[in-house]
Amino acid sequence: MLKMMSQRRRCNRFKGKGGVMMKNIVIIGGGYAGINLLEGLKKEFQGQIGKSVRVLLIDKNSYHFKKVLLVRAAIRDINLKVPFSEYCQDGIEFIRGEALTLNKRKQQLIIKVENEKTINVSYDYLVLAFGSIIRSIPEEIGGITLKDGHSALKIKEDLVAGMKSFQALGKSEQDQRLFKIAVVGGGIAGIETAAEIAVWSKEKLEEVGVQSSSVEVLLFDTKDRLLPDAPAKVSEKLINQLNKHGVTVKHKTRVSYWKDGQLFTSDGQNYAVETCIFNPGVEANPVIQKLDLPLTEQHKIIVNHSYQVKNEPHIYSIGDCALIVDHKNNQPDGMTCKEAIPQATRLSKILKAAINGVPLVILHESYPVKFFCISLGPNSGFMWTQKWGLDFTVTGKLGARIRNYTWDLASLHK
Ligand SMILES: Cc1cc2nc3c(=O)[nH]c(=O)nc-3n(C[C@H](O)[C@H](O)[C@H](O)COP(=O)(O)OP(=O)(O)OC[C@H]3O[C@@H](n4cnc5c(N)ncnc54)[C@H](O)[C@@H]3O)c2cc1C
């Protein structure tokens, strides 16, 4: 079947039902930006996909990966993989393959498919949604970086082993030393990891009759407060919530390394911790460096305010791999789903206008509301938003419900 596809693609034209020539949109990357773009295209081209418009999604995996839940998956059994068949309906096609290079002159993409074979995929419009990868921590620093399903599993194994040895200690020894874990990196993923681990550890200890106050999760961060984009009083409120869950925040502290249960910081302190987990943040997927496209110093694709790659009228890019700035104030978007989803919705309208030859100008605007939503374990959350200069925060069970809702929304679970 793939052979047939590549033969057809040589002429860069596809015939729909009744022999109509179709316009061909190819999307690479079925992360949050990619699947939300599919959703937008389904709405924009109602009934036209597979007839006058061909939409093809390419991803190196056969499933959409719910990255934002990686933190919870590190300790609880949850499935993060949603097969692309759930998104590729209504005539949308899918190929599992890894994008390797781009032939811009021929409007073709070279992808590696099963058995190391490569195929050429032609496009009229190409959307690059390669996303990001989690930054690497040099091996000599030790600890485990939470970066994918494998590292999540390793963290779980280490925590379970550490917990078993702690439970095996005599009561007096347990009282003397806490069950201590270190989480490094105070971004949202780091805050969520620290809270998830604290809640899980307390549950495990209570199950065997050990008091939950025996748990301490240390959250190390180099900045002087958490959530620097929110007012200081909001950061303080969050810290109070974290303290309640057994998380102690160490501000302005850089971790140097972790070895044999000892964590060393650059201010000369050391802490005895069972496990050390790094959440160092993300960077644009390095694969884009092979595509001969204009990139920023941070290796992100340079696009205009309508997501079109500089000097490439047929190529667009959204999500974590592109530098996208507001057309009014030139403020760059962050690397979050909250920002990738409206980009995808806008791009579906831009593609419709381009295909129909309608002179419609749609420009990027930043997410209109200041908003953070953070999970603090399965039954608690922390939400902050600012409206008319006023701060609104929601905590506890309602916060957790809003968090679950935002996660479901991002992965299009109705
Ligand atoms: C631990 C963690 C927690 C986060 N929590 C939040 C949160 O709470 N809220 C929030 O808004 N954001 C959060 N983010 C950020 C959010 O996950 C990203 O902003 C979002 O995933 C960006 O979407 P994307 O589609 O650009 O990229 P991605 O979701 O990274 O998707 C990229 C897709 O491209 C595919 N791909 C990559 N390379 C190739 C290739 N060579 N060929 C083919 N396919 C390829 C991948 O398989 C993937 O499906 C979190 C990120 C992390 C890492």
Side-chain angles (χ1 to χ4, degrees):
M1 193 183 118
L2 284 177
K3 194 174 165 204
M4 254 173 56
M5 275 181 162
S6 61
Q7 278 168 353
R8 275 199 303 160
R9 261 178 221 123
R10 263 179 219 140
C11 63
N12 204 17
R13 282 282 172 269
F14 295 85
K15 281 186 182 164
K17 279 185 187 149
V20 181
M21 286 300 182
M22 291 200 277
K23 284 290 181 189
N24 183 19
I25 303 174
V26 176
I27 303 162
I28 314 173
Y32 294 95
I35 59 164
N36 280 282
L37 177 60
L38 291 182
E39 188 71 1
L41 292 172
K42 280 183 206 167
K43 285 189 188 135
E44 295 301 326
F45 291 105
Q46 272 179 26
Q48 289 309 301
I49 298 177
K51 295 181 184 129
S52 59
V53 180
R54 178 175 187 254
V55 178
L56 168 68
L57 174 71
I58 300 172
D59 199 289
K60 60 182 181 171
N61 296 319
S62 58
Y63 49 82
H64 162 71
F65 188 67
K66 296 200 263 180
K67 228 183 197 182
V68 296
L69 274 157
L70 192 56
V71 165
R72 183 159 294 169
I75 42 178
R76 301 195 188 256
D77 289 326
I78 51 170
N79 182 18
L80 301 185
K81 300 174 182 176
V82 187
F84 280 123
S85 52
E86 289 201 16
Y87 303 104
C88 296
Q89 294 152 346
D90 307 322
I92 293 174
E93 296 171 36
F94 172 70
I95 296 181
R96 182 176 178 185
E98 203 174 330
L100 296 177
T101 49
L102 196 56
N103 185 333
K104 289 179 277 182
R105 196 178 50 79
K106 289 189 178 167
Q107 288 181 220
Q108 280 184 342
L109 180 76
I110 295 100
I111 61 169
K112 188 169 79 187
V113 289
E114 286 162 281
N115 306 325
E116 302 293 304
K117 277 189 200 149
T118 57
I119 61 168
N120 293 349
V121 176
S122 297
Y123 60 86
D124 292 308
Y125 297 94
L126 176 66
V127 180
L128 306 175
F130 284 107
S132 53
I133 59 158
I134 291 171
R135 285 201 185 97
S136 299
I137 294 285
E139 225 169 83
E140 59 275 17
I141 289 185
I144 312 170
T145 301
L146 179 57
K147 58 179 179 190
D148 51 21
H150 296 295
S151 53
L153 199 65
K154 171 84 179 99
I155 288 170
K156 188 173 177 179
E157 283 167 5
D158 278 20
L159 287 173
V160 169
M163 180 58 74
K164 277 195 183 140
S165 345
F166 187 79
Q167 286 170 350
L169 295 173
K171 171 108 185 55
S172 59
E173 260 190 289
Q174 281 175 349
D175 288 346
Q176 272 169 25
R177 53 170 252 203
L178 299 170
F179 180 71
K180 250 188 202 179
I181 303 292
V183 173
V184 187
I188 291 183
I191 298 170
E192 290 188 334
T193 310
E196 287 283 346
I197 291 174
V199 172
W200 175 86
S201 308
K202 286 181 173 192
E203 279 171 17
K204 291 288 147 203
L205 288 182
E206 276 167 5
E207 272 169 24
V208 292
V210 179
Q211 56 184 6
S212 58
S213 55
S214 301
V215 171
E216 185 173 43
V217 177
L218 297 171
L219 176 61
F220 291 92
D221 192 44
T222 51
K223 291 188 281 306
D224 56 2
R225 66 181 176 90
L226 299 180
L227 298 187
D229 294 334
K233 61 179 182 193
V234 175
S235 309
E236 279 160 31
K237 208 166 179 177
L238 174 62
I239 300 259
N240 283 339
Q241 293 293 313
L242 284 167
N243 292 160
K244 276 190 203 159
H245 285 94
V247 178
T248 305
V249 185
K250 300 277 177 196
H251 298 291
K252 292 200 261 184
T253 313
R254 185 170 294 281
V255 169
S256 305
Y257 66 98
W258 176 84
K259 198 174 179 199
D260 302 331
Q262 289 290 324
L263 179 140
F264 297 84
T265 56
S266 55
D267 56 3
Q269 304 287 317
N270 68 314
Y271 303 82
V273 291
E274 307 279 339
T275 303
C276 172
I277 299 153
F278 283 88
N279 278 279
V282 295
E283 61 190 7
N285 189 334
V287 73
I288 57 181
Q289 294 170 35
K290 297 185 197 156
L291 303 181
D292 188 25
L293 293 171
L295 300 183
T296 66
E297 277 176 18
Q298 287 74 38
H299 309 297
K300 285 184 164 195
I301 300 174
I302 301 175
V303 296
N304 67 15
H305 295 303
S306 300
Y307 314 120
Q308 202 170 53
V309 178
K310 195 175 164 192
N311 305 325
E312 298 295 340
H314 297 272
I315 310 179
Y316 295 79
S317 183
I318 52 171
D320 284 2
C321 65
L323 176 72
I324 294 171
V325 296
D326 185 299
H327 76 105
K328 289 186 201 139
N329 57 21
N330 262 0
Q331 280 299 308
D333 265 18
M335 291 162 90
T336 72
C337 306
K338 187 179 81 195
E339 282 147 312
I341 296 169
Q343 293 165 12
T345 308
R346 227 172 265 124
L347 181 55
S348 58
K349 294 184 198 313
I350 292 170
L351 287 170
K352 184 182 181 187
I355 284 178
N356 291 338
V358 177
L360 181 66
V361 179
I362 299 177
L363 302 175
H364 177 72
E365 286 175 34
S366 324
Y367 194 74
V369 188
K370 288 186 175 181
F371 174 80
F372 283 117
C373 198
I374 300 169
S375 155
L376 301 177
N379 299 314
S380 184
F382 183 92
M383 191 219 76
W384 163 75
T385 187
Q386 202 176 58
K387 193 104 182 133
W388 308 296
L390 297 172
D391 294 302
F392 298 92
T393 48
V394 177
T395 55
K397 282 201 171 120
L398 183 56
R401 265 208 257 155
I402 299 172
R403 187 56 172 140
N404 286 334
Y405 172 75
T406 58
W407 276 333
D408 284 348
L409 197 70
S411 288
L412 297 168
H413 294 309
K414 306 268 157 61

